[in-house]
Amino acid sequence: MGYVSDDPSKLRATLASAFQQADVVITSGGVSRGSKDYIKELLSEIGEIHFGEMCMKPGKPSTFATVAGPEAQSKLFFGLPGNPVSCFVTFKLLAAPALERLRGLPQADPIYPRVDAELAGSVEMDPVRPEYHRARARWESGRIVAESTGFQRSSRIASIAEANCLLEIPKNKGTLPKGTVVKALLLPHGSRSLAPSPEGFPGVPRP
Ligand SMILES: Nc1nc2c(c(=O)[nH]1)N[C@H]1C(S)=C(S)[C@@H](COP(=O)(O)OP(=O)(O)OC[C@H]3O[C@@H](n4cnc5c(N)ncnc54)[C@H](O)[C@@H]3O)O[C@H]1N2
Ligand code: MOO
């Protein structure tokens, strides 16, 4: 679809053309509450919005909608937030799993190994939203240790550049101390991916 300016008529035409060509349409930006964020409004004209906000950090304004197609199966729409980190995380957690299922991956198969990881340093929690904290996991004496990629602002691309996992940090007041064991979703990340140990990932059945 390319880049489209914040102009409702241009956006409407681009979305219509995208839904004519594709079964799944994914956009970034234009989904929060700004005066020029038109995506939700335009999707409600042509389809049904199933949710327009999520209690997660990053990714709060993520939007999911379906639009009727010529066949029985509806077309899917993912409106991901514009901030690059929010877009990356919500693509991995919402859109990529849907695409994997559509191309035949069985429901029972996990998309990402979900393993125990020990925090290499303390992590401050968000009191309102659970966070997918970007981190770098490594093996250390038979266990997985995860190091935060630093400041987690959703415009800071450096927080995803080195990350090979997303740590599930619960919403709460206060700080999780170094050594706390949390769940980590291991991302395929080229040469930076965490390789399985010879025994497989702990808690994940060996393939
Ligand atoms: N009143 C509220 N304001 C905001 C809320 C809220 O809940 N209420 N949520 C905040 C959160 S959280 C996020 S995240 C942002 C997301 O806003 P949008 O999805 O509407 O994103 P934009 O404002 O259109 O864009 C943000 C930023 O990202 C750039 N962008 C967009 N697409 C791309 C791309 N493909 N490549 C690179 N950069 C891209 C865009 O230029 C902007 O700089 O809303 C908060 N506000
Ligand atoms: O999705 Mo927003 O990233 O929570 O900044």
Side-chain angles (χ1 to χ4, degrees):
M1 283 189 285
Y3 170 82
V4 189
S5 56
D6 292 321
D7 173 329
S9 55
K10 285 186 188 149
L11 281 165
R12 190 180 284 114
T14 306
L15 285 168
S17 141
F19 278 110
Q20 267 172 12
Q21 296 170 53
D23 295 326
V24 181
V25 174
I26 303 173
T27 60
S28 74
V31 282
S32 65
R33 307 271 176 97
S35 59
K36 294 195 170 179
D37 290 330
Y38 297 115
I39 291 291
K40 286 185 170 78
E41 190 184 319
L42 295 175
L43 258 295
S44 65
E45 288 176 4
I46 56 170
E48 184 185 353
I49 295 187
H50 297 276
F51 57 82
E53 207 160 79
M54 290 185 79
C55 188
M56 66 185 278
K57 185 183 178 179
K60 187 180 171 201
S62 302
T63 299
F64 173 67
T66 48
V67 173
E71 288 157 31
Q73 184 140 8
S74 298
K75 300 197 168 200
L76 308 185
F77 173 81
F78 294 91
L80 307 180
N83 284 320
V85 175
S86 317
C87 190
F88 172 88
V89 170
T90 54
F91 179 81
K92 294 286 184 196
L93 297 180
L94 305 176
L99 296 174
E100 290 293 341
R101 301 295 179 215
L102 285 173
R103 71 186 188 96
L105 187 78
Q107 282 292 339
D109 288 5
I111 309 280
Y112 310 114
R114 184 168 180 265
V115 302
D116 285 338
E118 212 176 286
L119 297 180
S122 62
V123 170
E124 198 180 331
M125 292 175 284
D126 185 290
V128 180
R129 290 180 284 165
E131 181 179 22
Y132 289 92
H133 192 107
R134 283 76 70 198
R136 192 150 165 72
R138 60 173 189 265
W139 288 101
E140 232 179 73
S141 313
R143 57 201 212 293
I144 296 170
V145 173
E147 187 142 7
S148 170
T149 52
F151 191 36
Q152 298 279 302
R153 179 181 280 174
S154 56
S155 54
R156 185 175 168 262
I157 295 178
S159 81
I160 49 176
E162 292 294 319
N164 63 5
C165 70
L166 297 173
L167 303 178
E168 298 179 1
I169 304 297
K171 68 166 183 179
N172 214 335
K173 285 186 184 140
T175 300
L176 292 176
K178 173 182 172 176
T180 306
V181 175
V182 298
K183 289 292 179 196
L185 297 171
L186 300 178
L187 303 174
H189 207 337
S191 60
R192 297 196 177 94
S193 309
L194 183 70
S197 77
E199 295 78 38
F201 287 120
V204 176
R206 254 187 121 169

